[in-house]
Amino acid sequence: MFRGKAKVFGALASGAVLTMALASPASANGYVATEKWGNFKAGAGEAIFFSDGETVQLVDRFADGRGVTAYVGGRSITNRTGGSTSHNLSFPEGKTIALNVCLIDGDDIEDGTCAYSKVRT
């Protein structure tokens, strides 16, 4: 009888792990994080693109007075508040677009922190 319970528990655990993996940012269609440069840490800013809904999540990991800006398909979005912001955009289906992210200080881009990628809508 113990073996049957172990099998059921194993199946439930496997299903839970699969569900968590499918819902993770790794399932996004595109991801780019800022580069290490000078005193700036790698990954201080992130842009995550989800083609389902054409949404970009812009993440500012540190409350250091700097913000994060991203260029997505020719559009500029900014997070100056820290934490995470979500931006709902619209693009034609099947198009390849640029996904770039940089740290900013006021209106000045910290060039050495910029990272570049491309995503498919």
Side-chain angles (χ1 to χ4, degrees):
M1 181 145 172
F2 179 76
R3 287 185 186 178
K5 288 182 182 179
K7 286 180 184 178
V8 170
F9 179 73
L12 290 174
S14 296
V17 169
L18 178 60
T19 300
M20 287 187 290
L22 291 175
S24 72
S27 67
N29 298 86
Y31 169 86
V32 65
T34 57
E35 301 286 334
K36 178 179 178 5
W37 184 65
N39 292 330
F40 302 113
K41 295 180 181 177
E46 300 175 340
I48 306 164
F49 180 79
F50 299 90
S51 66
D52 185 23
E54 296 160 347
T55 303
V56 176
Q57 184 178 5
L58 196 54
V59 182
D60 183 358
R61 295 221 172 266
F62 301 107
D64 58 3
R66 289 182 175 76
V68 177
T69 191
Y71 299 94
V72 185
R75 299 176 193 164
S76 176
I77 57 175
T78 302
N79 177 357
R80 296 179 191 275
T81 61
S84 177
T85 58
S86 184
H87 305 267
N88 191 357
L89 305 172
S90 181
F91 298 101
E93 297 298 317
K95 185 176 179 184
T96 299
I97 59 172
L99 176 63
N100 308 334
V101 66
C102 303
L103 292 181
I104 54 173
D105 187 6
D107 289 330
D108 298 326
I109 293 174
E110 303 288 359
D111 289 328
T113 66
C114 297
Y116 308 93
S117 183
K118 291 190 180 203
V119 295
R120 190 120 172 111
T121 59

